Amino acid sequence: MVDGSAEDMGLMNNFTVLVVDDDPIICKVHDLLLKKFGLKPQVVENGRKAVDLCLACGTFNLILMDKEMPVMDGVEATRELRAIGVNSLIVGVTSRGSPDEKKAFMEAGLDFCFEKPLTPEKITILLHELNQNN
Amino acid sequence: MESRTLRDQIAAMRQSFFDEGILDSQFTQLEQLEDRDNPNFVEEVLTLYFRDSANLLATVEQTMETEPTDVAKVDRILHQLKGSSASIGANKVRNEVIKTRELWQQGNQEGAKAAFLELRQEHGTFKAKLEPYFQQLRQAGPVQAAMRPQGQQGGH
């Protein structure tokens, strides 16, 4: 359940969030869920745009990365972000995949990997992590 | 009194969706995101889903029947459909997508085509059940969060 204290958690350090997903439904759900925590996510629909945005505008505290996307998928995008020195908390958000697929995604440089869709509990875990790192 | 009867009907309808496995707990998560600033969020998301999923299903059907078949494209679209169905709590639809995709990935195209017909039917049933539900919700008018129909929730 999202409550006032959850919103405070998001506002505490004014975290910036990037949602990378090509599914407009997932984007809509995650967008509102993150806003409930007082966050204001930016949304892009593929890994290429995520990398370009980070290069152009600086990094984000939290990047929620879908795995399968056109143009550039989440694995490649994560690898490229780490290669250019992005040290954001990068969290993979996937449909149920095989352990090997998840392993490959983690090895690209993720900090966490969650199944879609995100829930308030998962967001809370990530915000705790961000607060500890900051 | 009439409003209460309508709300009871809506609550019973909603509960039946969980009892029959049509919806799972993810739908409840969506309901919990609704508030004064986003009073129709669930209906908005479902409307978006019905539109997008109809297009995806049409593309899958067309691609399955085209020679030579773009096997990867069908798999990609089914993957997307699985994700969006899961994100709104469309439990039975998601399961049919998984079944279709597994057969397709195994190379059993005829089996996958048969499963796809069941998927499309399940999708149609889902839409036919949820659309009247939202119509009745609109008819009943805004409700306080505390008064939202509660009930047993399905699992994933």
Side-chain angles (χ1 to χ4, degrees):
Chain A
M1 188 72 132
V2 180
D3 57 20
S5 62
E7 186 170 339
D8 290 342
M9 201 188 292
L11 288 170
M12 255 160 55
N13 287 314
N14 203 24
F15 297 127
T16 53
V17 183
L18 177 63
V19 174
V20 190
D21 203 305
D22 62 329
D23 185 337
I25 294 157
I26 293 282
C27 290
K28 190 175 173 78
V29 173
H30 287 175
D31 180 69
L32 185 58
L33 177 59
L34 290 164
K35 280 174 177 162
K36 289 286 185 181
F37 282 85
L39 300 164
K40 291 178 186 172
Q42 286 195 49
V43 181
V44 293
E45 69 261 29
N46 64 58
R48 177 80 264 152
K49 290 192 176 183
V51 173
D52 290 345
L53 189 59
C54 287
L55 283 169
C57 308
T59 192
F60 295 83
N61 297 113
L62 173 64
I63 299 175
L64 298 170
M65 185 76 76
D66 181 27
K67 184 169 171 287
E68 296 195 24
M69 294 176 285
V71 184
M72 183 187 283
D73 69 16
V75 176
E76 197 183 337
T78 303
R79 207 172 279 133
E80 207 163 303
L81 287 169
R82 292 305 192 204
I84 61 175
V86 167
N87 61 358
S88 311
L89 191 71
I90 305 181
V91 177
V93 187
T94 68
S95 298
R96 285 170 204 172
S98 69
D100 286 343
E101 286 174 340
K102 282 185 183 170
K103 186 167 175 272
F105 202 3
M106 285 296 298
E107 284 173 353
L110 294 181
D111 295 291
F112 294 96
C113 192
F114 287 136
E115 271 182 30
K116 282 183 193 186
L118 291 175
T119 61
E121 291 73 28
K122 291 171 186 170
I123 302 290
T124 302
I125 289 169
L126 296 177
L127 288 176
H128 272 302
E129 192 69 23
L130 284 169
N131 279 313
Q132 280 189 339
N133 293 346
N134 286 276
Chain B
M1 194 58 149
E2 275 185 11
S3 175
R4 186 176 169 169
T5 305
L6 180 57
R7 291 208 182 279
D8 288 343
Q9 278 176 11
I10 291 169
M13 212 178 187
R14 179 185 176 279
Q15 185 56 49
S16 74
F17 297 153
F18 290 105
D19 292 343
E20 292 168 29
I22 292 168
L23 291 177
D24 63 27
S25 59
Q26 180 55 28
F27 186 81
T28 313
Q29 299 273 7
L30 294 187
E31 289 176 321
Q32 289 173 351
L33 292 176
E34 280 192 345
D35 58 18
R36 227 169 299 172
D37 294 329
N38 301 278
N40 304 308
F41 178 70
V42 180
E43 188 177 1
E44 285 171 14
V45 172
L46 271 283
T47 301
L48 183 60
Y49 171 79
F50 289 140
R51 190 194 69 201
D52 280 8
S53 57
N55 290 337
L56 291 176
L57 287 170
T59 306
V60 167
E61 184 174 11
Q62 190 182 24
T63 311
M64 276 179 166
E65 297 305 325
T66 303
E67 294 289 341
T69 308
D70 190 339
V71 174
K73 183 176 178 180
V74 170
D75 185 66
R76 214 163 42 238
I77 297 172
L78 288 174
H79 176 87
Q80 186 176 344
L81 191 54
K82 181 179 75 170
S84 55
S85 301
S87 72
I88 64 154
N91 181 54
K92 278 192 173 180
V93 174
R94 188 201 70 225
N95 289 340
E96 292 297 329
V97 174
I98 290 170
K99 196 165 75 177
T100 305
R101 195 179 177 214
E102 277 175 357
L103 288 164
W104 189 258
Q105 288 176 336
Q106 287 162 10
N108 182 353
Q109 289 196 5
E110 288 311 308
K113 286 175 185 176
F116 176 74
L117 291 178
E118 289 178 17
L119 161 58
R120 219 174 44 183
Q121 191 170 355
E122 192 60 56
H123 180 268
T125 301
F126 178 68
K127 191 174 178 204
K129 285 183 183 272
L130 270 289
E131 282 183 335
Y133 170 72
F134 285 116
Q135 271 167 12
Q136 292 210 17
L137 269 180
R138 267 184 262 126
Q139 205 177 325
V143 63
Q144 298 290 332
M147 287 175 61
R148 183 177 290 121
Q150 299 294 321
Q152 187 183 348
Q153 299 160 16
H156 280 286

